[in-house]
Amino acid sequence: MRVFKITDQARADSVVVLIILCNAIFCSPLYAYPGGLPVIIQNERYLIPVLTFIFLSAVTMISIIIYLSVKLKKNSNKLKIANDKLAQSEENNRELINANPDMLFILDSGYNFVDYKYENESELYASPSEFIGKNITQVLPADVAELTIRKIELLNKSGLMQSYEYDLDQGGEKQFYESRIIKFGKGKILIIIRNISARKKRDDETIRSHKLESLGIFAGGIAHDFNNILSAIVGYISLARKKINNKEKVFTLLEKAEKEGMRARKLTEQLLAFSKGGTPVKQITDIAEVVKESAEFIMSGSKTALEYKTEDNISKVDIDRGQVGQVIQNIILNASQAMPSGGVITISIRNVSLDENNEMFIPEGDYVAVSIKDEGDGIESKNIKRIFDPYFTTKNGGNGLGLTICHTIIKTHGGGIDVRSEIGHGSEFILYLPSYGETESENENIAPPDDFINLRNLSVLIMDDEPQLRYIMKELLKDEGAKIYTVTEGSEAIDLFEKMEAEGKPVDLIIADLTIPGGMGGMEAVRIMREQGVPFRAIVISGYSNDPVLSDYKNYGFDAFIAKPFSLEDLLSVVRRVMER
């Protein structure tokens, strides 16, 4: 920055101007009289007043000159001190900026790049010549640019620093960044960006380790529950065999065995919640059902009581049941541990609308709020802002990742978590999940059966490596009049599919297992068969309910999916729904 300085030459020029001014003032009265100075001197009557006037004028001007000189000197000293401080401040700022290892970018009010600082330009998303002078919407991916602009707008409104995380694809590898935005002078914005990819990798590894550790904690209880369920199933079937002549009794016993099997399915969903990660496998869900299942599972045998308060007409949500169930369990477990002598955990569910100025900085819109409130000692205010930080814990033996996982899961679902607590009056965690409205579930495997759909003479190709499952599906669909063909893996399925097409007996429906150990799975087999241009319907089945293919099955060539284990009603419902289309 250039600053004007008072020099000796400028000071001398000021004095010259003052002397000229004085000369004009002193001499003007003398030349105002006819004849000038000789006339005044000869006329004694004018001499004394004129000399007095000259004397007083001279004294006045000298005083003014002295005053201005002193004032000028003081101002010069002040300017010099100010210049020195400014120079020192600029030097300090320059040193701080140079010492900062982060990427620094300056934007103007129109979101254009005007300057930057980073030593290793090879790590930048674009070279300086490609972004300086350009708008961020021209340089960054649309989602990152929109997020940055939204944060700048919040900064302008609140005046508070804004921070956020995002990722970029650089050279085929995903890099993660943490960004902070602050005001930088008049009409400019400073963006400080740090590459946190290494930290993310460490955190992910630690989170996976924590999930396995949590899984170990519950393994004993889950094994106990599984043994109880299997004992019930085996017992009911054994009883049914003994009472084979009593058809009504046999039907009742087998129905109970089937219900126990569905109970085992729910248990496996809870188990998977601790081991899976990645992209959520979403389905349109009644959140109240997930909350109740998860709460009662984690509080089974506990002395903590659960109280539910659910509003009418709660909107559906598009969630991964297992992941959100894990969040519910973690928070309820924390609430229970906050009341070692027992107490009541109150769970409330309601529809809410949030504006853009909400405390969690999530998009405005309609949400379903799940509140979990305990009667414990509460959380100290100094810890409230840190409870979601990795490794932060106030528990003995805790690793501080439980709430971090909860925050991550809810964030990947497009929601947020709010915490309210008062010492001595307990804590309340509120989960906000985007509302899906009152639309019925698009999950094909829970649709009611359409009995009027006729499956007679339907040509069905079943591909599964488990002979028991092939037999069960074959017998079920054969009883409905369908023609069934079975294979164990993808190559056999493709050969049979081509053979039947060549014989003029095309396959109408393919039911394919997603994963075949040692062979071609359903995804690859269906892709190859689709390439032949022959129309058919396809249903994918899998025991890995967290596989990303299930969350986006249509993009992999399938018309529906079924998660194992499934009931025969589930299978018939999906087949009828698919063939109706």
Side-chain angles (χ1 to χ4, degrees):
M1 179 181 293
R2 298 177 61 186
V3 179
F4 179 78
K5 296 183 179 180
I6 300 298
T7 62
D8 292 340
Q9 182 61 45
R11 195 177 292 111
D13 292 343
S14 300
V15 173
V16 171
V17 170
L18 288 174
I19 292 172
I20 294 171
L21 182 60
C22 292
N23 182 60
I25 293 173
F26 292 163
C27 296
S28 58
L30 302 180
Y31 294 104
Y33 293 95
L37 181 60
V39 173
I40 292 175
I41 294 174
Q42 292 174 4
N43 193 337
E44 295 179 359
R45 189 172 52 160
Y46 297 109
L47 182 60
I48 293 175
V50 169
L51 292 176
T52 302
F53 173 78
I54 293 174
F55 175 74
L56 292 175
S57 297
V59 171
T60 301
M61 294 309 300
I62 291 171
S63 299
I64 292 173
I65 292 171
I66 293 172
Y67 170 78
L68 291 175
S69 297
V70 172
K71 191 74 174 177
L72 193 61
K73 187 174 182 180
K74 287 183 178 180
N75 288 340
S76 298
N77 290 334
K78 287 181 180 179
L79 284 172
K80 185 177 184 304
I81 293 171
N83 282 328
D84 291 342
K85 288 183 177 180
L86 182 60
Q88 185 62 45
S89 176
E90 289 178 345
E91 181 63 26
N92 292 339
N93 289 339
R94 190 176 297 107
E95 290 178 358
L96 286 173
I97 290 175
N98 290 333
N100 193 325
D102 299 329
M103 292 175 272
L104 305 178
F105 299 92
I106 299 176
L107 304 182
D108 61 19
S109 58
Y111 313 129
N112 301 305
F113 288 96
V114 296
D115 203 354
Y116 83 102
K117 179 265 168 184
Y118 191 53
E119 296 299 328
N120 194 351
E121 293 186 359
S122 63
E123 295 182 5
L124 295 175
Y125 181 69
S127 64
S129 60
E130 294 175 317
F131 67 80
I132 292 297
K134 292 185 179 179
N135 193 278
I136 59 174
T137 57
Q138 299 174 289
V139 178
L140 298 176
D143 56 337
V144 179
E146 289 173 7
L147 176 60
T148 304
I149 291 174
R150 189 162 66 248
K151 290 296 183 178
I152 292 175
E153 290 173 348
L154 286 173
L155 170 67
N156 291 332
K157 286 182 181 179
S158 66
L160 301 176
M161 181 191 76
Q162 300 295 316
S163 61
Y164 59 97
E165 294 181 6
Y166 63 92
D167 59 79
L168 292 172
D169 186 358
Q170 292 189 247
E173 184 178 354
K174 184 176 286 189
Q175 296 290 315
F176 296 88
Y177 298 92
E178 179 184 69
S179 180
R180 287 161 290 163
I181 302 178
I182 59 175
K183 291 188 175 182
F184 190 71
K186 187 176 181 180
K188 287 188 174 61
I189 299 296
L190 175 64
I191 303 180
I192 306 168
I193 298 175
R194 175 172 296 179
N195 190 318
I196 58 171
S197 300
R199 191 188 79 190
K200 276 280 188 183
K201 186 176 181 180
R202 289 195 302 270
D203 289 349
D204 288 346
E205 291 297 327
T206 307
I207 288 172
R208 288 191 188 96
S209 174
H210 171 70
K211 286 182 178 180
L212 292 174
E213 183 180 324
S214 299
L215 181 61
I217 294 173
F218 288 101
I222 289 172
H224 176 266
D225 288 344
F226 257 120
N227 284 331
N228 285 340
I229 292 170
L230 291 173
S231 297
I233 292 173
V234 172
Y236 285 135
I237 293 174
S238 297
L239 279 174
R241 195 167 57 184
K242 284 183 175 293
K243 300 179 182 293
I244 193 67
N245 294 325
N246 188 340
K247 186 178 290 186
E248 185 177 341
K249 189 67 175 179
V250 168
F251 179 81
T252 300
L253 290 170
L254 292 177
E255 188 177 53
K256 288 183 177 180
E258 186 178 38
K259 286 182 178 178
E260 288 297 314
M262 290 299 101
R263 183 180 159 205
R265 172 180 174 173
K266 292 181 180 179
L267 196 59
T268 59
E269 288 177 354
Q270 302 294 338
L271 185 63
L272 283 170
F274 291 95
S275 63
K276 71 183 187 178
T279 304
V281 181
K282 296 181 179 180
Q283 63 186 69
I284 312 306
T285 304
D286 180 351
I287 187 62
E289 180 183 314
V290 176
V291 169
K292 190 172 183 180
E293 281 182 6
S294 303
E296 293 183 356
F297 172 79
I298 201 68
M299 287 291 100
S300 177
S302 170
K303 55 187 175 182
T304 302
L306 297 171
E307 180 180 339
Y308 299 96
K309 295 180 180 179
T310 305
E311 290 183 354
D312 295 332
N313 301 317
I314 294 297
S315 299
K316 296 286 195 299
V317 290
D318 190 14
I319 62 170
D320 183 311
R321 292 174 63 97
Q323 288 188 359
V324 173
Q326 178 184 353
V327 172
I328 301 295
Q329 290 173 6
N330 280 355
I331 294 177
I332 288 178
L333 185 60
N334 285 346
S336 179
Q337 292 173 346
M339 303 182 294
S341 300
V344 178
I345 296 176
T346 303
I347 302 175
S348 305
I349 306 175
R350 66 188 190 278
N351 295 322
V352 298
S353 294
L354 299 178
D355 59 29
E356 62 179 4
N357 296 320
N358 61 82
E359 296 179 355
M360 294 156 292
F361 301 107
I362 58 179
E364 64 177 321
D366 295 328
Y367 292 81
V368 176
V370 179
S371 166
I372 301 172
K373 191 176 189 306
D374 62 55
E375 298 174 335
D377 295 332
I379 305 171
E380 294 185 44
S381 57
K382 67 179 182 180
N383 292 332
I384 287 288
K385 294 182 179 180
R386 301 181 59 198
I387 58 175
F388 296 116
D389 292 347
Y391 316 118
F392 176 77
T393 181
T394 57
K395 297 180 189 176
N396 292 328
N399 60 14
L401 283 173
L403 289 176
T404 303
I405 294 173
C406 292
H407 184 268
T408 300
I409 290 173
I410 296 300
K411 187 176 179 181
T412 59
H413 281 75
I417 302 183
D418 192 15
V419 185
R420 301 169 186 174
S421 185
E422 185 178 348
I423 296 298
H425 293 84
S427 304
E428 180 181 18
F429 284 75
I430 307 173
L431 314 178
Y432 292 91
L433 293 166
S435 168
Y436 199 83
E438 296 299 323
T439 305
E440 290 299 320
S441 171
E442 292 180 356
N443 185 15
E444 308 293 352
N445 67 334
I446 63 173
D450 299 311
D451 292 331
F452 64 91
I453 300 298
N454 189 354
L455 304 184
R456 188 169 298 280
N457 295 323
L458 182 72
S459 178
V460 182
L461 174 58
I462 297 174
M463 186 191 93
D464 199 297
D465 61 315
E466 288 290 339
Q468 302 93 328
L469 282 179
R470 292 199 305 271
Y471 174 77
I472 291 170
M473 289 188 283
K474 176 181 178 179
E475 290 299 310
L476 171 69
L477 296 176
K478 190 166 68 172
D479 288 345
E480 296 294 320
K483 297 177 181 179
I484 309 301
Y485 306 88
T486 62
V487 294
T488 59
E489 58 91 30
S491 297
E492 295 178 17
I494 295 170
D495 291 342
L496 183 56
F497 177 85
E498 293 175 346
K499 178 182 177 183
M500 293 178 65
E501 176 64 23
E503 294 175 354
K505 303 174 183 178
V507 173
D508 300 310
L509 173 66
I510 296 174
I511 301 175
D513 192 2
L514 181 63
T515 305
I516 304 293
M520 183 188 295
M523 182 177 69
E524 181 67 11
V526 167
R527 183 187 66 78
I528 293 173
M529 286 185 276
R530 290 285 188 201
E531 289 176 351
Q532 299 185 27
V534 179
F536 63 89
R537 301 292 183 185
I539 299 171
V540 60
I541 58 177
S542 177
Y544 298 98
S545 61
N546 62 328
D547 195 294
V549 174
L550 299 190
S551 66
D552 196 21
Y553 59 88
K554 290 183 180 179
N555 284 333
Y556 290 92
F558 296 100
D559 299 286
F561 78 90
I562 310 176
K564 298 177 183 179
F566 51 84
S567 68
L568 300 185
E569 286 77 12
D570 287 339
L571 179 61
L572 278 177
S573 173
V574 175
V575 170
R576 287 183 171 127
R577 175 64 64 87
V578 167
M579 296 317 299
E580 179 186 18
R581 294 175 180 174

